[in-house]
Amino acid sequence: MERIRNEKPTLWIVIPCYNEEAVLPITAPQFKAELQLLKDTNRISEKSRILFVNDGSKDATWSLIDSFSKEDECFIGISQSRNRGHQNAVLAGLMEALGQCDITISIDCDGQDDIHAMEDMVDAYLQGAEVVYGVRSSRETDTWFKRNSAQSFYKLMNHLGAEVVYNHADYRLVSNTVLEHFKDYEEVNLFLRGMFPLIGFHSTSVYYSRKERMAGESHYPLKKMIALAINGITDLSVEPIHLIAKVGAWVSVFGFAGIIWAIVRHLTNNTVQGWASLTCIVLFLGGLQLLSIGVIGEYVGKTYMETKRRPRYIISKRTYNKDR
């Protein structure tokens, strides 16, 4: 396998954590072992680190991160001032790493994503890729509903014009070059898996099988998954508004035809009184109007939040001296 980049890059593995006291003692040693393997095979620099991002956890997650960092210098950690959500936690870690390493790999701490895929990611970077997406090769561990809803979501996103990598979540390698440009994307409403393809640069994918969560409970129930899907669609595409306009135009055409039909029936004295058809029409148009207002309101709300320019994350603690 030809290696284009000769120097060993410094890697920071960025791991967002929220109430993960049950799984961290299991996965932290695995991350360390993988980092050491990458060092031993001369893929990365000895200065490479594992960065845990505590997203305002209410359990002992931060205490564990702090103890890991005291026991081994390969572990470092930052803590947000409060819980701000998974996407903001990943962003905080990436911006913390910016300028301090050559490449980052973001991955969840639950052990579901194949840690060994990092080897292929780093190899792809050494061959010239600036972004490497971790893509699930199958969804056998998912329930029938989650598998089909997720696949439908990716298809819908691409149909609406949003450029997303099919079956890719937030397991990816990103070079410092890409992060330098990514920092200029200042939107408050984040959908990272759809934002990185917008930046460009040479990218590729590595494929892996996802496993069951090793311990603890998932922090992405159905409600949050739906919210993430809506956020992704409205962040990356205005096609829903265009769709409303198209539906409205067709409803107007049918409505105008209905008016002509009603006038003709009236002039020919062939009208029949009835509430059923009228009720159906009123309910249909009323529902369509409310749905349209809701979709437009989603965009207006996002515009409102963007204009506030509030910080997307605030780091309250570090286990290391960043300026040193």
Side-chain angles (χ1 to χ4, degrees):
M1 188 176 292
E2 184 179 357
R3 180 167 173 164
I4 296 178
R5 307 179 200 263
N6 295 320
E7 295 185 1
K8 292 189 291 187
T10 299
L11 164 68
W12 277 29
I13 302 175
V14 176
I15 308 172
C17 306
Y18 176 66
N19 292 345
E20 301 290 3
E21 64 177 3
V23 76
L24 268 181
I26 301 173
T27 56
Q30 296 180 1
F31 288 123
K32 178 183 175 181
E34 180 64 18
L35 187 73
Q36 190 60 49
L37 175 63
L38 292 170
K39 293 178 181 179
D40 293 341
T41 53
N42 292 317
R43 286 182 171 94
I44 61 173
S45 164
E46 290 293 328
K47 297 179 181 179
S48 300
R49 297 289 183 267
I50 298 170
L51 172 63
F52 291 110
V53 182
N54 177 42
D55 188 24
S57 299
K58 298 178 181 178
D59 61 4
T61 296
W62 177 246
S63 298
L64 286 171
I65 294 172
D66 190 44
S67 64
F68 292 156
S69 64
K70 291 177 180 178
E71 294 169 2
D72 195 312
E73 65 177 2
C74 80
F75 293 115
I76 55 177
I78 60 176
S79 182
Q80 296 208 83
S81 59
R82 54 156 292 176
N83 175 255
R84 295 180 183 273
H86 178 270
Q87 298 291 279
N88 293 78
V90 175
L91 175 69
L94 294 178
M95 293 300 99
E96 182 78 6
L98 179 62
Q100 303 197 67
C101 62
D102 300 301
I103 53 176
T104 63
I105 295 179
S106 58
I107 184 173
D108 290 341
C109 69
D110 54 18
Q112 289 188 274
D113 295 319
D114 184 7
I115 295 175
H116 299 296
M118 293 184 188
E119 298 158 34
D120 293 333
M121 288 182 172
V122 175
D123 287 341
Y125 168 77
L126 294 174
Q127 293 176 69
E130 298 289 346
V131 181
V132 185
Y133 301 104
V135 179
R136 297 177 61 171
S137 57
S138 68
R139 287 184 169 270
E140 295 178 354
T141 58
D142 287 347
T143 63
W144 179 90
F145 175 79
K146 186 174 182 179
R147 178 170 58 253
N148 285 276
S149 61
Q151 291 174 345
S152 298
F153 166 70
Y154 285 109
K155 292 177 181 177
L156 176 62
M157 289 288 289
N158 284 296
H159 179 72
L160 294 177
E163 186 180 350
V164 293
V165 179
Y166 189 73
N167 272 342
H168 163 68
D170 286 299
Y171 187 17
R172 74 180 72 84
L173 178 149
V174 181
S175 71
N176 190 69
T177 301
V178 174
L179 284 182
E180 283 287 353
H181 293 277
F182 179 71
K183 71 179 182 181
D184 296 329
Y185 286 67
E186 300 180 347
E187 50 256 60
V188 174
N189 301 283
L190 297 175
F191 189 68
L192 299 178
R193 69 189 71 175
M195 294 171 65
F196 277 103
L198 297 176
I199 302 174
F201 290 93
H202 175 48
S203 65
T204 188
S205 299
V206 300
Y207 297 86
Y208 67 96
S209 297
R210 205 163 192 249
K211 299 174 288 186
E212 296 285 351
R213 184 181 178 90
M214 292 187 174
E217 297 180 355
S218 173
H219 301 300
Y220 257 90
L222 178 61
K223 181 179 179 181
K224 284 191 175 182
M225 289 176 59
I226 294 175
L228 180 66
I230 294 174
N231 189 50
I233 292 171
T234 53
D235 276 0
L236 299 174
S237 174
V238 294
E239 187 61 29
I241 292 182
H242 295 161
L243 185 61
I244 288 174
K246 294 175 183 177
V247 172
W250 279 108
V251 170
S252 297
V253 170
F254 284 115
F256 182 71
I259 292 173
I260 295 176
W261 173 79
I263 292 174
V264 171
R265 298 278 290 185
H266 175 73
L267 293 176
T268 57
N269 294 318
N270 197 18
T271 57
V272 178
Q273 292 185 347
W275 61 270
S277 57
L278 179 61
T279 301
C280 290
I281 293 173
V282 170
L283 290 177
F284 171 74
L285 292 178
L288 182 63
Q289 289 173 342
L290 289 175
L291 176 62
S292 302
I293 292 172
V295 173
I296 296 172
E298 184 72 22
Y299 283 94
V300 172
K302 285 183 178 293
T303 303
Y304 171 70
M305 294 304 298
E306 292 291 343
T307 58
K308 287 179 174 292
R309 312 306 302 165
R310 290 174 177 169
R312 295 173 291 181
Y313 62 88
I314 298 175
I315 298 173
S316 60
K317 299 176 185 176
R318 289 183 173 89
T319 64
Y320 72 109
N321 186 354
K322 183 178 180 181
D323 299 325
R324 186 168 59 187

Coordinates of all heavy atoms in Angstrom, one line a residue, residues 22-23 31 39 54 102-103 110 115 126 133 135-136 172 177 179 183 186 206 216 243 253 255 259 270 294 302 321:
A22 N -20.9 3.8 33.2 CA -21.0 2.4 33.1 C -20.1 1.8 32.0 O -19.6 0.7 32.1 CB -22.5 1.9 32.8
V23 N -20.0 2.5 30.9 CA -19.3 2.0 29.7 C -17.8 2.5 29.6 O -17.0 1.8 29.1 CB -20.0 2.3 28.4 CG1 -19.8 3.8 28.0 CG2 -19.6 1.4 27.3
F31 N -9.7 2.0 23.6 CA -9.2 3.1 22.9 C -7.7 3.3 23.0 O -7.0 3.5 22.1 CB -9.9 4.4 23.3 CG -11.4 4.5 22.9 CD1 -12.4 4.6 23.8 CD2 -11.7 4.4 21.5 CE1 -13.7 4.7 23.4 CE2 -13.1 4.5 21.1 CZ -14.1 4.6 22.1
K39 N 0.5 3.6 17.0 CA 1.8 4.1 17.3 C 2.9 3.0 17.0 O 3.9 3.3 16.3 CB 2.0 4.5 18.7 CG 1.2 5.7 19.1 CD 1.4 6.1 20.6 CE 0.6 7.3 21.1 NZ 0.8 7.6 22.5
N54 N -16.7 15.7 28.1 CA -17.8 15.5 29.0 C -18.9 16.5 28.7 O -18.7 17.7 28.8 CB -17.4 15.7 30.4 CG -18.5 15.6 31.4 OD1 -19.4 14.7 31.3 ND2 -18.5 16.4 32.4
D102 N -2.6 16.8 13.7 CA -2.7 16.7 12.3 C -4.1 16.2 11.8 O -4.6 16.6 10.8 CB -1.6 15.9 11.7 CG -0.2 16.5 12.0 OD1 0.0 17.7 11.7 OD2 0.6 15.8 12.7
I103 N -4.6 15.2 12.6 CA -5.8 14.6 12.3 C -6.6 14.3 13.5 O -6.1 14.1 14.6 CB -5.6 13.2 11.5 CG1 -4.7 12.3 12.2 CG2 -5.2 13.5 10.1 CD1 -4.5 11.0 11.6
D110 N -19.5 4.3 23.4 CA -20.2 3.1 23.8 C -19.7 1.8 23.2 O -20.2 0.8 23.6 CB -21.7 3.3 23.4 CG -21.9 3.6 21.9 OD1 -21.0 3.3 21.1 OD2 -23.0 4.0 21.6
I115 N -13.6 -0.1 16.7 CA -12.4 0.7 16.9 C -11.3 0.5 15.9 O -10.5 1.4 15.5 CB -11.9 0.5 18.4 CG1 -13.0 1.0 19.4 CG2 -10.6 1.2 18.6 CD1 -12.6 0.6 20.8
L126 N -3.0 8.6 5.1 CA -1.6 8.6 4.7 C -1.5 8.5 3.2 O -0.5 8.8 2.6 CB -0.9 7.4 5.3 CG -0.8 7.5 6.9 CD1 -0.2 6.2 7.5 CD2 0.1 8.7 7.2
Y133 N -14.8 8.8 6.0 CA -16.1 8.5 6.7 C -16.1 7.0 7.1 O -15.8 6.1 6.3 CB -17.2 8.8 5.8 CG -17.3 10.2 5.3 CD1 -16.9 10.6 4.0 CD2 -17.7 11.2 6.2 CE1 -17.0 11.9 3.6 CE2 -17.8 12.5 5.7 CZ -17.4 12.9 4.4 OH -17.5 14.2 4.0
V135 N -18.4 4.1 7.7 CA -19.7 3.7 7.1 C -20.1 2.3 7.6 O -19.3 1.4 7.4 CB -19.8 3.8 5.6 CG1 -21.1 3.4 5.1 CG2 -19.4 5.2 5.1
R136 N -21.3 2.2 8.1 CA -21.8 0.9 8.5 C -22.0 0.0 7.3 O -22.8 0.4 6.4 CB -23.0 1.0 9.4 CG -22.8 1.8 10.6 CD -24.1 2.0 11.4 NE -24.7 0.7 11.8 CZ -25.7 0.6 12.6 NH1 -26.3 1.7 13.1 NH2 -26.2 -0.6 13.0
R172 N -15.7 9.5 12.0 CA -14.9 10.0 10.8 C -13.6 10.5 11.2 O -13.3 11.0 12.3 CB -15.7 11.1 10.1 CG -15.7 12.4 10.8 CD -16.5 13.5 10.0 NE -17.9 13.2 10.1 CZ -18.7 13.6 11.1 NH1 -18.2 14.3 12.2 NH2 -20.0 13.3 11.1
T177 N -6.3 20.4 8.0 CA -6.6 21.3 6.9 C -8.1 21.5 6.7 O -8.6 22.7 6.5 CB -6.0 20.7 5.6 OG1 -4.6 20.5 5.8 CG2 -6.3 21.6 4.4
L179 N -10.4 21.0 9.1 CA -10.9 21.7 10.3 C -10.7 23.2 10.3 O -11.5 24.0 10.8 CB -10.3 21.1 11.6 CG -10.8 19.8 12.1 CD1 -10.0 19.4 13.3 CD2 -12.3 19.8 12.3
K183 N -14.1 25.6 10.7 CA -14.3 26.6 11.8 C -15.1 27.8 11.3 O -15.6 28.6 12.1 CB -13.0 27.0 12.5 CG -12.1 27.8 11.6 CD -10.8 28.2 12.3 CE -10.0 29.1 11.5 NZ -8.7 29.5 12.2
E186 N -20.3 28.7 11.0 CA -20.6 29.2 12.3 C -22.1 29.0 12.7 O -22.6 29.6 13.7 CB -20.3 30.7 12.4 CG -18.8 31.0 12.2 CD -18.5 32.5 12.3 OE1 -19.4 33.3 12.3 OE2 -17.3 32.8 12.3
V206 N -14.5 4.1 4.8 CA -14.1 2.7 5.3 C -15.4 2.1 5.8 O -16.2 2.8 6.4 CB -13.0 2.7 6.3 CG1 -11.7 3.4 5.7 CG2 -13.4 3.4 7.6
G216 N -24.4 0.3 29.8 CA -25.2 1.5 29.9 C -26.4 1.5 28.9 O -26.7 0.5 28.3
L243 N -41.5 22.3 -1.6 CA -42.5 21.2 -1.7 C -43.8 21.8 -1.3 O -44.9 21.5 -1.9 CB -42.1 20.0 -0.8 CG -43.0 18.8 -0.9 CD1 -43.1 18.3 -2.4 CD2 -42.6 17.7 0.0
V253 N -55.0 24.6 -8.1 CA -55.5 24.2 -9.4 C -56.8 23.4 -9.2 O -57.8 23.6 -9.9 CB -54.5 23.4 -10.2 CG1 -55.1 22.8 -11.4 CG2 -53.3 24.3 -10.6
G255 N -58.6 23.3 -6.6 CA -59.7 24.1 -6.0 C -60.4 25.0 -7.0 O -61.6 25.1 -7.0
I259 N -64.3 24.9 -8.1 CA -65.2 26.1 -8.1 C -66.0 26.1 -9.4 O -67.2 26.3 -9.4 CB -64.4 27.4 -8.0 CG1 -63.8 27.5 -6.5 CG2 -65.3 28.6 -8.3 CD1 -62.9 28.6 -6.3
N270 N -78.4 21.1 -10.5 CA -78.1 19.8 -10.2 C -77.3 19.7 -8.9 O -76.3 18.8 -8.8 CB -77.3 19.2 -11.4 CG -77.3 17.6 -11.3 OD1 -78.2 17.0 -10.6 ND2 -76.4 17.0 -12.1
G294 N -46.3 24.9 10.1 CA -45.4 24.2 11.0 C -44.0 24.1 10.4 O -43.0 24.4 11.0
K302 N -35.3 28.5 13.4 CA -33.9 28.3 13.2 C -33.2 29.6 12.9 O -32.1 29.9 13.3 CB -33.6 27.2 12.1 CG -33.9 25.8 12.6 CD -33.5 24.8 11.5 CE -33.8 23.4 12.0 NZ -32.8 23.0 13.1
N321 N -3.1 21.5 30.5 CA -2.8 22.9 30.2 C -2.7 23.1 28.7 O -1.7 22.7 28.1 CB -1.5 23.4 30.9 CG -1.3 24.9 30.8 OD1 -2.0 25.5 30.1 ND2 -0.3 25.4 31.4

